[in-house]
Amino acid sequence: GYRLSYSAQKLVRKDMNGQSDPFFTISINKGGKVVPIYRSEVVKKTLKPEWDAVEMSLREVGGLDAPIYIDVDDFDKDGGHDRIGKVTCTLRDFILGGGLTLPIVKGNADKSSGGLNVMKCEPLPYEPMRPPPPPALELPFSRVHLARKALAGHSDPFFVIEVSR
């Protein structure tokens, strides 16, 4: 996996105060559907936000060359967020392009809505996949005509299972 640090620059103004409240959503293609896998925090009143780092695994995104869609939006309290723009890239783009700035575009417009900066792309420590544990051993037991050993006329049976390797 990788830890990615993002920022943006020269975002378009979406709020009345001449700023934006940007956040981004990362989505991937899963089974023919675009599915969101991460949403950043909102950075208030800025056109050049720096967001918290994101951790992504190769398995999660579908490999180095699977498309990753990053939507950058301006947060509005009423939930009607304004689209700033979109970036389509791959994890390989991030790995090879530390310090890379990708243009944020809205629709088919040639005009940029700003730039998404990949400030850092750090590999995470390798964690080998562990095999799943073996299925539990099921031993069905039942009682049949137990001898009465206790003074009260019943039995308190038990057994011991020993495993040797």
Side-chain angles (χ1 to χ4, degrees):
Y2 294 89
R3 179 177 293 115
L4 300 152
S5 299
Y6 298 102
S7 67
Q9 63 188 27
K10 299 179 183 176
L11 294 179
V12 294
R13 294 169 171 85
K14 291 290 187 175
D15 293 338
M16 300 289 268
N17 63 9
Q19 299 290 323
S20 287
D21 303 316
F23 69 95
F24 67 89
T25 305
I26 298 175
S27 302
I28 59 168
N29 192 336
K30 196 168 194 171
K33 293 183 179 181
V34 176
V35 179
I37 60 169
Y38 179 81
R39 180 176 165 185
S40 76
E41 75 280 9
V42 175
V43 181
K44 297 279 192 175
K45 299 179 183 174
T46 185
L47 299 178
K48 47 184 182 176
E50 287 189 20
W51 291 286
D52 292 340
V54 179
E55 292 183 2
M56 282 192 248
S57 70
L58 286 173
R59 181 189 320 239
E60 181 179 38
V61 299
L64 284 175
D65 297 310
I68 297 172
Y69 310 103
I70 302 175
D71 294 312
V72 182
D73 294 296
D74 171 58
F75 178 82
D76 289 328
K77 288 180 190 175
D78 65 3
H81 311 307
D82 301 315
R83 177 62 39 95
I84 293 174
K86 180 178 216 146
V87 173
T88 302
C89 52
T90 66
L91 193 52
R92 185 181 305 273
D93 294 333
F94 295 143
I95 294 168
L96 299 176
L100 177 71
T101 299
L102 301 166
I104 300 170
V105 293
K106 186 173 180 183
N108 294 329
D110 290 331
K111 187 178 176 190
S112 172
S113 295
L116 182 72
N117 306 315
V118 182
M119 300 185 323
K120 277 195 246 176
C121 180
E122 304 169 311
L124 296 172
Y126 175 71
E127 291 185 28
M129 286 183 45
R130 295 186 184 138
L137 181 62
E138 185 176 320
L139 301 171
F141 290 97
S142 63
R143 60 178 171 75
V144 178
H145 304 293
L146 295 176
R148 294 185 174 139
K149 299 285 183 177
L151 293 174
H154 65 276
S155 292
D156 287 329
F158 69 93
F159 57 91
V160 176
I161 297 176
E162 291 183 19
V163 178
S164 61
R165 293 184 184 208

